[in-house]
Amino acid sequence: MQNFSVSQYLKDHIRTVPSLPAPGIQFRDITPLLQNPKVFRVLIDAFVHRYMDPSLRPDVVAGLDARGFILGSVVAYELNVGFVPIRKKGKLPFSTVEETYELEYGSATVELHTDAVKPGERVLLIDDLIATGGTMMAGKKLLEKLGAQVMEGAAIVDLPELGGSRKLREAGLALFTLVNYDGD
């Protein structure tokens, strides 16, 4: 495979659904990446190979509800570290901390178990896509409330025209994404 580009390979397998959830919106559907075992392995390996580096290796992976659970749990397994879910409000059974964030059409709240991470642990925060950055920012704040260090935010897709990745970087979060839809 001469000149193989992981980014282009993954982009070639992301489905674009026009006018979802509203007219003019191009919805980036990552489910085809998960359905094909070869593509799924390339996707997971791209994250795992990055975070095997000792300087980037996390103590734990935190995944954002819900697609971040799929990616994060597999990446954590491959790195031989723990996984913690950051869930929508009311879904976790134990005592939690919560963070509310704004959406285009209202607000949402996510929660994390109070014993999910220990102070000083290095956490990789992972989701499928960065749009406005609200969910990832809320996840970062939750982890920091418990004393963890969010070393990096990771996602398959960045939609930079929506401003989320810029806001996250301005808030001090390093980001790693595999596919960029800047103006596409």
Side-chain angles (χ1 to χ4, degrees), residues 44 61-63 67-77 82-83 126:
I44 295 300
V61 175
R67 290 179 202 92
F69 297 173
I70 298 165
L71 301 172
S73 59
V74 179
V75 170
Y77 175 82
F83 173 79
I126 195 164

Side-chain angles (χ1 to χ4, degrees), residues 13 23 26 40 51 53 59 79 83 93 95 108-109 113 158-159 173:
H13 289 86
Q26 299 292 313
F40 189 44
Y51 297 110
D53 183 305
D59 298 313
L79 293 173
F83 173 79
S95 65
T109 302
H113 277 148
D158 182 18
L159 302 174
L173 183 61

Side-chain angles (χ1 to χ4, degrees), residues 60-65 69 84-88 97-102 108-113 116-117 121 123-127 133-154 168 171 173:
V60 66
V61 175
L64 291 157
D65 200 337
F69 297 173
V84 297
I86 297 175
R87 303 234 30 208
K88 294 176 178 126
V97 289
E98 65 179 49
E99 186 70 32
T100 299
Y101 60 100
E102 296 305 311
T109 302
V110 289
E111 295 180 317
L112 179 65
H113 277 148
V117 292
E121 279 189 314
V123 181
L124 168 63
L125 180 58
I126 195 164
D127 203 0
T135 310
M136 190 165 283
M137 184 69 78
K140 175 184 183 300
K141 289 177 181 178
L142 277 177
L143 291 158
E144 289 172 346
K145 278 182 186 180
L146 297 178
Q149 174 200 350
V150 182
M151 41 149 313
E152 193 160 75
L168 290 164
L173 183 61

Side-chain angles (χ1 to χ4, degrees), residues 12-70:
D12 290 345
H13 289 86
I14 294 171
R15 179 173 32 223
T16 298
V17 181
S19 298
L20 184 74
I25 303 291
Q26 299 292 313
F27 184 85
R28 307 303 179 172
D29 179 12
I30 60 110
T31 57
L33 301 178
L34 309 176
Q35 293 169 318
N36 179 315
K38 180 180 176 185
V39 178
F40 189 44
R41 184 167 298 277
V42 168
L43 169 66
I44 295 300
D45 285 352
F47 287 119
V48 170
H49 289 206
R50 175 175 179 79
Y51 297 110
M52 284 179 128
D53 183 305
S55 67
L56 291 173
R57 191 173 183 83
D59 298 313
V60 66
V61 175
L64 291 157
D65 200 337
R67 290 179 202 92
F69 297 173
I70 298 165

